[in-house]
Every structure is written in structure tokens, then in C-alpha cells.
Amino acid sequence: MRIKCPDCSQKFDVTEDFLGKTVECGSCDAQFKVADEHVVAEKARFYPGEKQDKSLDQFGKTAAEVNGPVAFQQAHYQQGVAADVVGPPRPRRTMAAVAGAVILVLTIVVFLLAGGKEGSLRDMETGKRFVFVAFVAVLGGGLLFYGTSHIRKLGLLACVILCGAVLAMPVIFPGNPTLATVVPLEQADAADEVRDSKAEQAQEREDYLFEIGYDPVRTAVASGAPNSVVAIYLRNASKADRGKIAAYLYEATEKVSRETSYDRGVTGLNGLILLVEQKKTLDEIAALCAKFGRIEKISHDLRVIDMTVESAKIGRLDEDKVLNPESLDFQSQNLKALSNIDPDVRMKAVKRLAVSEPKALRPDITRQMLSMLPTSSNEMKVELIRALKVWAQPGDGSEVVVMDAVKELHKVDMVDKSAVDFLIEREAEGTDVILMDLWKKDPVVWSETLVGLGEGAQVLLLPVLDQLNEGQVVAASDILGKVGTVASIPLIEEVMAKRDDAGKKSLQAAIDEIKKRS
């Protein structure tokens, strides 16, 4: 017999001797006393040929012996029933139902995807939409209804739902046609030409941007103020010439930002110079570029100046002649160097001319240096004034230009003695103001220049003598002792009476020196 553990339901085969005995489950180790409720009832098993149950007696007997007599009744059948109703649907009806459903559903999908204002059916008018869906509803609904004859109610319901949805499409998605106008053939051709022209221009623009390598310019324009970005595309310029042009532009644009150069093309004769953070306008920089070539075009929207460099304007110097003062072409070569776009070449030429004797081309060289003075750097201004002191002649008006340059240098404390000496020699208006200001800042350096003025020094010193500090009074006393006149003694004594420092002794010494010379 089979028993079952009451805790884990594990079954075991045992003999009947175990009834009433306590056993231990081999699966969960639970102990229990075997009783009738632990015995598993087994179903009777029967095999062919065995008759262990009375119910098996029926096998091998006739139906009459088993069931007894049967009472028969006459069957009645409905007349005129169609085979299509009671039988399976025919293939053509199935195909019709499927085709009708597909047509209706597909029409709904088309309207959902393309019937909106931006869809491909937007130009179909609302009236035409209703005509279209009505045709589709009749066609698709008819096919669907025909194909569902064996399930008439369900087919009719499907026809109503799908046809109703199709007929509702023009209401949900009304027409939104684009207004069309009749254009004369000539105008249409002209419009086509305009479109073609615009397409060609767009393509030409893309080709041009690719040619000049516009990407660095685009990046600079996007990352900062667009109007401060300037790009110069140089054609027919060697790398050396491009370097000279870049150096010239750096100096001419007040050195606000160092230029960046890019090689372009395969010949090595094209390049792009990029300037950023510029204060000058695109047209102003184009005017600077015109000095060394021909401007092809200026693209304000692209911030690009396109030009062809003319080597003759950059200039080629004869090194032997430009460096040899004894050469007959020394002045002409250095005059040419003054027009060179390379600032280093110009600076060296100015320094050479400042220590050479003026011979040929003196007016031309003077005019060139005067034209350079207003726009040059402060360092160049200092050297130009030294050279002009040698080359300029009285009556050429150079003192006015030099005075303006000296005023600019004075603001940055870069005025040297040669500049002041030049102004004193030309008796330029305003020289006294600059000289006195320089002397007050550094009496030791400028006292010698005041002494060189002779009696003119007391004209400058006496009006401000009582306003000077002790060191300045001592320096002024030394100058007055050398160049002062007897007429200055009363004013010196008046100032001396007000002082009680070392300046008083210096003023007395100045009076004594004046009296000795008188």
C-alpha cells in the first residue's frame, strides 16, 4: 500500500504491517503514526481482457442486449434552405469581403497620414474629397456586404462602422488647397531663370568659400563680435610676401590682435590672413590693403577682402645699394624702402637716412617721412623725427607735423632731445610749453636744453620760479646763473625772500653769477 506524509505529502510504498506504527518521513524527517487517513486510495486499473468490474460486462454484447429496445421518430427538415447560409463561404465571397475591408481601411489610413494641411492631399478640395470617399464607401461597403452573406448581421455592422469612418474623413480633414495663379509663359520662363540664377549663385558661393578655406573665418565670426573679424584672401602672393603684408596690417591696425595666416591652394601663391578684435572697419582695412595690390571684391556679409597682390608694389630692394651710402642709388633705394610694406624694412631705412648726408631726392624723402609720421608707431615716430632733423629744410612746413607727433609722444613720455631741438630750431609754436613740462619732470636731463636757449631760458623760468619745488629751484638757479641777465635779479630776489630752504642759497648764488658776468 501507499502512504502519504501529513507534513510534506511525500508518498511511500509500505506493507500493511505498518498500520498503527510510528514512522519517520524520509523526506522531511517528520514522525507520524500510520493511520487510515495516511493511506493513499488507489484507483482501479483495468487492462484489455480483464473483467474485474461489473461495468465491463457490457463489452462483447450487442446494442440490443445493452440498451434494450429503441423507439424511432420521423425526422422533419426545413425546406428551401440556401447552401450558402448553412455551408462554408465560397472563395469569391471571402476575397470580396477582404478587398472591401482593405479598401475602406486603406482610405482611412491615407487621410490620417496625408490629409492634413501639410500632407500630400492638401491641394484636394473638400468637395472632391466627399466625392472620393463616397465612391470608396459604395465600392468597399458593397464588397464587404457581399462577402459576409453567411454572417449578415456582423457584416452589416462592419460596413456601417467602416463606411461611416470613411465618410467622416473630409469633415475631419477638410481641403486646404494652395492658391494657384495663371502665369504667362514669358513670366514663367523668367521665374525659372531667376531660380536657376539663384541656384547657380548659391553653388558659386559654396565653391568660393571652399576655395578660400572659409572655416576659420566662420568660427571667428560665430565666437565673437562679427564686425571685428576681417579676413584677407591674397592671390598671387608668395609666403614671404604674405608675411610682409601680415606684419604691415598688424602694425597698421594698431596691433590690437596678432594676425593668423593660412596657406591656400596647391601653387603656394594663395593665402588667407585672419584678423580679429579689429577697431577699424572692413573698408578701412581694404584701403590699407590697396597699397600692395588690386582689390577684387569686398564681401561685407562674409567679412572677406579678396585681392590680387602686385609684387611691384611690395618692392624688391638691391641690398648692396640700399646699405652703401657711397652708392649713387643709396637715396633712391632707401626712398623705395620707406614705402615697403614690411615695418622692419621701413625702420631700418629711416635709421640709415638719419645718419647719412642728404644728397639726392631730399624733398621726396622728406615728404615720404612726413607722410609716415602721423600713422606710425611711437617707436617709428622717434626715429622719423631724428631723420627729419637731418633731412627737413626750413620752410617745408615739417615743424607742424613734427609738433603733432611730439605731443603724442609726450603723452607716453617718449620725447627725446632731438625732437625738442628740432622744434626749437624751427621755433615751432608750443615748444615752450612742452619743454617746461619736460624740464619739471626731469630737470637734470632737460636743463642743458634750457641753457641752450640763452636769455630765452629766463623768459620760461622767471614766471614760474615761485611755483617750483626745492629741487626745481636749485636746477633753475643753476640755469639762471649761466644765462640770466641783470634785469632778472629783482624778480629772483623777490622769490628768494619767500624761501628759507636750500633753494634760497641757490638763488643767491645765481644772482652772484649774473653780477659777475655783467
Side-chain angles (χ1 to χ4, degrees):
M1 66 179 181
R2 291 178 67 81
I3 62 175
K4 181 173 67 175
C5 175
D7 289 347
C8 66
S9 300
Q10 179 66 37
K11 297 177 182 179
F12 302 94
D13 291 323
V14 297
T15 63
E16 295 181 356
D17 297 341
F18 280 85
L19 285 173
K21 295 181 180 180
T22 300
V23 297
E24 181 178 322
C25 177
S27 177
C28 65
D29 297 333
Q31 294 183 354
F32 60 95
K33 189 174 183 180
V34 179
D36 292 339
E37 62 268 19
H38 299 138
V39 177
V40 178
E42 296 183 0
K43 296 181 180 179
R45 298 178 181 177
F46 302 101
Y47 299 93
E50 293 183 346
K51 296 183 179 179
Q52 297 182 2
D53 195 287
K54 292 182 178 181
S55 59
L56 296 177
D57 293 341
Q58 57 184 318
F59 294 101
K61 295 182 178 181
T62 64
E65 294 175 344
V66 176
N67 298 323
V70 178
F72 293 95
Q73 186 176 1
Q74 186 177 1
H76 299 279
Y77 297 98
Q78 186 177 356
Q79 301 298 321
V81 177
D84 293 340
V85 175
V86 297
R90 295 182 179 180
R92 67 172 179 271
R93 290 184 178 272
T94 302
M95 293 177 62
V98 172
V102 169
I103 291 173
L104 294 173
V105 172
L106 185 60
T107 302
I108 296 172
V109 172
V110 169
F111 269 92
L112 292 174
L113 297 179
K117 293 182 178 181
E118 301 298 329
S120 57
L121 298 179
R122 62 181 178 275
D123 290 333
M124 180 183 288
E125 297 177 356
T126 303
K128 293 181 178 180
R129 295 188 182 210
F130 274 111
V131 173
F132 173 70
V133 298
F135 171 75
V136 171
V138 172
L139 177 62
L143 290 173
L144 182 60
F145 186 76
Y146 170 75
T148 56
S149 59
H150 60 293
I151 46 173
R152 186 67 66 196
K153 292 182 180 180
L154 184 59
L156 181 60
L157 179 61
C159 287
V160 171
I161 294 174
L162 291 177
C163 290
V166 169
L167 293 173
M169 289 296 103
V171 178
I172 301 173
F173 301 103
N176 184 39
T178 302
L179 296 179
T181 56
V182 179
V183 180
L185 183 59
E186 295 79 3
Q187 295 184 15
D189 292 341
D192 291 339
E193 291 179 1
V194 170
R195 284 194 296 270
D196 293 342
S197 176
K198 289 182 178 179
E200 291 176 0
Q201 291 175 1
Q203 185 59 47
E204 289 177 358
R205 180 185 176 94
E206 289 300 321
D207 293 342
Y208 177 70
L209 295 180
F210 178 78
E211 176 190 0
I212 68 175
Y214 188 70
D215 287 345
V217 186
R218 182 183 289 109
T219 301
V221 169
S223 61
N227 291 334
S228 68
V229 177
V230 177
I232 304 99
Y233 186 67
L234 303 174
R235 302 176 186 272
N236 192 36
S238 65
K239 191 167 186 177
D241 288 344
R242 295 199 300 271
K244 294 177 182 179
I245 294 171
Y248 167 79
L249 291 174
Y250 174 65
E251 181 180 356
T253 55
E254 302 176 6
K255 301 180 180 180
V256 294
S257 177
R258 197 69 191 179
E259 79 289 342
T260 306
S261 297
Y262 302 91
D263 294 335
R264 292 291 183 261
V266 296
T267 62
L269 295 178
N270 296 337
L272 183 74
I273 296 176
L274 179 62
L275 305 174
V276 297
E277 300 178 3
Q278 293 301 303
K279 298 177 182 178
K280 293 183 180 295
T281 65
L282 189 68
D283 293 326
E284 289 174 338
I285 295 178
L288 295 174
C289 294
K291 295 180 178 180
F292 42 83
R294 182 179 67 255
I295 302 297
E296 302 295 347
K297 65 179 178 179
I298 302 174
S299 303
H300 288 83
D301 57 333
L302 299 177
R303 305 297 298 172
V304 174
I305 301 169
D306 193 325
M307 66 169 300
T308 300
V309 176
E310 298 175 4
S311 300
K313 291 189 176 182
I314 296 178
R316 297 289 186 270
L317 301 175
D318 188 327
E319 295 295 332
D320 294 334
K321 295 178 180 180
V322 79
L323 298 175
N324 183 12
E326 302 301 325
S327 173
L328 296 176
D329 294 324
F330 175 77
Q331 282 80 10
S332 62
Q333 285 292 309
N334 280 280
L335 175 59
K336 189 176 181 180
L338 291 177
S339 303
N340 196 281
I341 64 172
D342 190 340
D344 291 336
V345 173
R346 296 198 303 273
M347 177 66 82
K348 292 176 181 178
V350 171
K351 291 182 177 180
R352 286 192 295 268
L353 291 171
V355 295
S356 65
E357 181 182 356
K359 293 180 181 178
L361 305 174
R362 185 170 187 175
D364 296 328
I365 292 176
T366 301
R367 278 195 300 271
Q368 180 61 30
M369 288 192 290
L370 289 174
S371 67
M372 295 168 58
L373 199 54
T375 58
S376 296
S377 64
N378 290 330
E379 293 79 4
M380 179 65 87
K381 282 185 173 72
V382 172
E383 298 300 330
L384 282 169
I385 293 172
R386 289 175 182 169
L388 284 168
K389 190 173 183 298
V390 176
W391 286 82
Q393 295 175 295
D396 58 10
S398 57
E399 62 273 5
V400 177
V401 182
V402 172
M403 173 57 78
D404 291 338
V406 169
K407 289 179 180 178
E408 294 296 322
L409 293 172
H410 185 43
K411 295 177 181 178
V412 292
D413 295 329
M414 291 185 64
V415 179
D416 70 349
K417 294 183 66 175
S418 61
V420 176
D421 291 341
F422 179 87
L423 295 176
I424 291 174
E425 291 175 5
R426 297 300 180 90
E427 298 180 356
E429 184 178 356
T431 305
D432 53 341
V433 177
I434 292 178
L435 179 56
M436 282 304 299
D437 194 30
L438 292 170
W439 179 82
K440 288 179 182 179
K441 291 180 179 179
D442 195 344
V444 175
V445 173
W446 294 100
S447 290
E448 184 179 351
T449 303
L450 281 175
V451 170
L453 295 178
E455 294 183 5
Q458 71 178 11
V459 177
L460 298 177
L461 292 172
L462 292 177
V464 298
L465 192 59
D466 59 344
Q467 303 171 13
L468 304 177
N469 59 39
E470 182 177 347
Q472 293 169 341
V473 169
V474 172
S477 300
D478 183 62
I479 295 170
L480 292 173
K482 295 177 180 178
V483 300
T485 62
V486 176
S488 64
I489 292 177
L491 183 55
I492 296 174
E493 290 176 341
E494 181 181 343
V495 174
M496 186 177 62
K498 299 177 183 179
R499 306 189 71 95
D500 57 357
D501 51 11
K504 185 173 184 178
K505 295 180 180 180
S506 299
L507 291 172
Q508 183 60 55
I511 294 174
D512 295 340
E513 287 295 324
I514 293 172
K515 288 179 178 180
K516 287 181 182 179
R517 291 187 290 102
S518 301

